[in-house]
Amino acid sequence: MATQPATKYSRIALELHAPVARISLDRPPLNIIDIPMMEELAEALTEIEARIEISILIISGSQTAFSAGVDVAAHTPDKVEQMLAKFHGVIRMLIASRKVSIAAVHGNCLGGGAELAMVCDLAYTSELATWGFPEIKLGCYPPVAVTALAALVGPKHAADLVLTGRSITGREAAGIGLANCVVPEVDLEHAVQDAVHHLSQLSPAALAIAKKAIYAWDSIHFDKGLARAEKIYSDELMKTEDAQEGINAFLEKRPPVWKCK
């Protein structure tokens, strides 16, 4: 039974049409993920998880982007611990979900947006999409990516993306394993719906258990690894002058002046 997008959400849109739920990041133009959006995502994921008639979750972005990442202003010392807890809470919920998750990626898919897409079970990308983890340019690093990216694309590709902060196209993202399939942007929704059609013919119970089994080994290491990455981020990285300089320079729209400490 279809429902209209929930009015209680201001930064996302939630549509339910069994067996599919769709979350659209809806904070144009770039769908930046701020703390209120993280809270809405957690609430929506909780609602979806409670619905036994839903077995498939699509996550996409509104208008011209998937998401250009987490709000840089949320990385300041007074907000960073709350931001990490809330964003990583969403990531953990998505990984633990019994629903098969599909990321539909077009436009910018950067930083926390790319982390959100990479932890979905399946990812379909436009060939013109822009993927990347640019946090190093701010004197930071992406905790989810440093924890899990190497398992997806291999250590060398992961090091390249995290340490250079360079962006890649959707075609290259699919080529290294960040996405399952790359298509022209006009065909993206059709590719997603083909996957949904196939999955909807299968047993929701079997899908949920198979998903749990696929990640049984990796999830043990992911939980420990992300906790460690969070601790290093808070206890070491955010106490460096360079991390503060990178964030301040971005907010002040100027080049950073690194102090090497």
Side-chain angles (χ1 to χ4, degrees), residues 49-252:
E49 201 64 23
R51 291 180 174 264
I52 61 171
E53 75 276 16
I54 299 296
S55 59
I56 302 163
L57 165 63
I58 300 169
I59 300 181
S60 59
S62 67
Q63 299 188 26
T64 61
F66 183 81
S67 171
V70 172
D71 186 6
V72 174
H75 290 71
T76 55
D78 58 321
K79 297 177 182 176
V80 67
E81 288 194 14
Q82 180 190 28
M83 179 274 290
L84 288 174
K86 289 186 179 292
F87 183 61
H88 292 168
V90 169
I91 295 293
R92 288 183 170 100
M93 290 176 72
L94 192 54
I95 290 174
S97 173
R98 290 172 57 84
K99 319 303 180 183
V100 177
S101 55
I102 302 173
V105 176
H106 75 292
N108 285 326
C109 182
L110 302 171
E115 290 180 315
L116 192 64
M118 67 174 265
V119 301
C120 288
D121 301 312
L122 302 170
Y124 294 84
T125 180
S126 156
E127 60 187 0
L128 298 179
T130 300
W131 290 71
F133 304 92
E135 286 87 344
I136 199 70
K137 297 177 182 179
L138 303 181
C140 300
Y141 66 78
V144 175
V146 300
T147 302
L149 186 59
L152 290 177
V153 304
K156 296 301 184 186
H157 287 307
D160 174 25
L161 293 173
V162 170
L163 297 179
T164 69
R166 74 181 183 94
S167 296
I168 60 175
T169 64
R171 184 164 297 281
E172 187 173 355
I176 64 174
L178 259 179
N180 296 83
C181 178
V182 57
V183 295
E185 186 161 331
V186 68
D187 295 328
L188 179 60
E189 187 60 25
H190 179 70
V192 170
Q193 291 305 319
D194 275 352
V196 167
H197 175 73
H198 182 76
L199 290 166
S200 66
Q201 308 304 307
L202 304 173
S203 159
L207 286 171
I209 294 171
K211 173 177 172 174
K212 181 178 180 180
I214 288 171
Y215 299 124
W217 178 251
D218 286 343
S219 65
I220 297 170
H221 299 282
F222 180 80
D223 288 341
K224 292 181 179 178
L226 185 57
R228 180 64 175 160
E230 288 174 351
K231 182 173 176 59
I232 294 171
Y233 198 101
S234 297
D235 293 354
E236 298 181 37
L237 180 70
M238 295 311 295
K239 292 181 180 177
T240 66
E241 292 186 31
D242 277 356
Q244 298 308 312
E245 168 62 12
I247 293 163
N248 290 335
F250 180 90
L251 295 174
E252 295 166 9

